[in-house]
Amino acid sequence: MTSATGNDPLDGRALSADLELALRLADVADTIAIARFRSADLSISSKPDRTPVTDADLAVETAIREILTAERPGDGILGEEFGTGGSTERQWIIDPIDGTANFLRGVPNWATLIALSIDGRPVVGVASAPAFRKRWWASRGFGAWLHDGDDEPRRLRVSGVESLSDASLSFQSIQQWDEAGYLDRLVDLSRAVWRDRAYGDAWSYGLLAEGLVDVVAEFDVKEWDIAPFAVIVEEAGGRFTAVDGSDTIAARSSLATNGALHADVVAALGH
């Protein structure tokens, strides 16, 4: 398999070009989405699965797809709003607005998620949250980074917490855990950790990569909800798997930790 920029899809030059493109896509997405955020004429409809979609979701994904089609015509695309097309060897995974329910209510906890997956493994990831003035990004082998407001980008590192009794957990949504049949295990885990909160959506994973949260877990997630964070969390020194510990983003669950706690959380949720 040959990348768009070289013979080895994971060499530095190839990933650098792909990351640069992903960051430009995020710039375009930010411009579109922030202009529609809290606008009085925001158009909202329901998809067949009864989840909401706004005109901003559609406009952001359309713009990203147009750029990818022009600049990476051989690559495939998996997007939340317009589905899958093209190759799955090199596939861009797009969530135009992760946290649409927040977006339409005017809550600033939302982000555009962009990842490049090669042979099913995310290798580039960008999560841009313009209402928070935050952007997290990473590429395999080159670290995870945060641009926070007007500050210079800084390299990220997960926490050094080694005991569940000292850990901060973000569990995302009680309803998710209940519908997955894991509510009792969530309650048990909440009793084992120091602190539990539901920060929610992209922000939870960003906090983990920054070393401010130690465990994030959720259910009912699609690839586009989590793909960038498989790169960002691991490049920050953590672990990212499904709740059962399997190394996939397609299991409809996710477990991100600082690494030191991963086996303990998998065990706690598997009993």
Side-chain angles (χ1 to χ4, degrees):
M1 178 179 59
T2 302
S3 76
T5 55
N7 292 323
D8 180 356
L10 295 184
D11 73 22
R13 288 171 298 174
L15 287 187
S16 178
D18 289 325
L19 177 59
E20 186 274 336
L21 174 56
L23 292 169
R24 284 196 287 115
L25 294 174
D27 288 340
V28 171
D30 285 357
T31 299
I32 296 170
I34 206 69
R36 300 300 294 148
F37 184 51
R38 295 177 177 168
S39 67
D41 63 344
L42 184 71
S43 174
I44 305 167
S45 57
S46 293
K47 294 186 282 191
D49 63 1
R50 299 174 65 186
T51 59
V53 60
T54 71
D55 59 59
D57 294 86
L58 301 176
V60 169
E61 186 167 325
T62 296
I64 289 175
R65 284 175 175 269
E66 288 175 352
I67 296 170
L68 288 173
T69 298
E71 298 197 26
R72 295 291 192 275
D75 292 355
I77 304 174
L78 168 61
E80 179 176 10
E81 307 306 337
F82 298 112
T84 307
S87 171
T88 58
E89 291 183 348
R90 278 180 51 94
Q91 184 181 62
W92 293 87
I93 304 175
I94 310 298
D95 190 341
I97 296 181
D98 178 64
T100 296
N102 288 335
F103 184 92
L104 64 86
R105 286 292 301 270
V107 178
N109 186 9
W110 53 271
T112 294
L113 307 183
I114 300 165
L116 173 64
S117 174
I118 296 180
D119 292 334
R121 182 187 185 216
V123 296
V124 168
V126 177
S128 193
F132 280 161
R133 300 185 70 199
K134 283 179 173 283
R135 181 180 292 180
W136 305 268
W137 71 87
S139 59
R140 293 286 178 189
F142 296 92
W145 300 82
L146 169 68
H147 188 244
D148 193 355
D150 296 325
D151 296 335
E152 289 296 311
R154 61 183 175 88
R155 192 159 186 169
L156 298 178
R157 188 70 190 174
V158 295
S159 77
V161 171
E162 296 183 346
S163 171
L164 280 179
S165 61
D166 295 323
S168 178
L169 160 72
S170 179
F171 58 82
Q172 304 289 73
S173 163
I174 287 176
Q175 184 177 3
Q176 286 180 343
W177 289 73
D178 193 17
E179 291 177 351
Y182 275 74
L183 186 56
D184 289 345
R185 278 172 273 191
L186 173 61
V187 172
D188 289 343
L189 182 59
S190 74
R191 290 170 176 159
V193 299
W194 165 65
R195 180 179 174 87
D196 64 276
R197 292 291 184 271
Y199 296 106
D201 301 309
W203 193 31
S204 292
Y205 298 103
L207 290 171
L208 188 138
E210 293 177 51
L212 305 177
V213 167
D214 311 302
V215 179
V216 177
E218 63 178 324
F219 293 89
D220 192 28
V221 286
K222 309 297 192 298
E223 288 90 336
W224 50 74
D225 295 310
I226 56 176
F229 298 109
V231 190
I232 294 167
V233 168
E234 292 184 352
E235 283 297 310
R239 287 282 311 280
F240 195 103
T241 67
V243 164
D244 65 1
S246 57
D247 186 16
T248 177
I249 61 169
R252 301 298 181 256
S253 71
S254 62
L255 173 62
T257 76
N258 67 352
L261 298 171
H262 208 82
D264 288 343
V265 179
V266 170
L269 296 178
H271 68 71

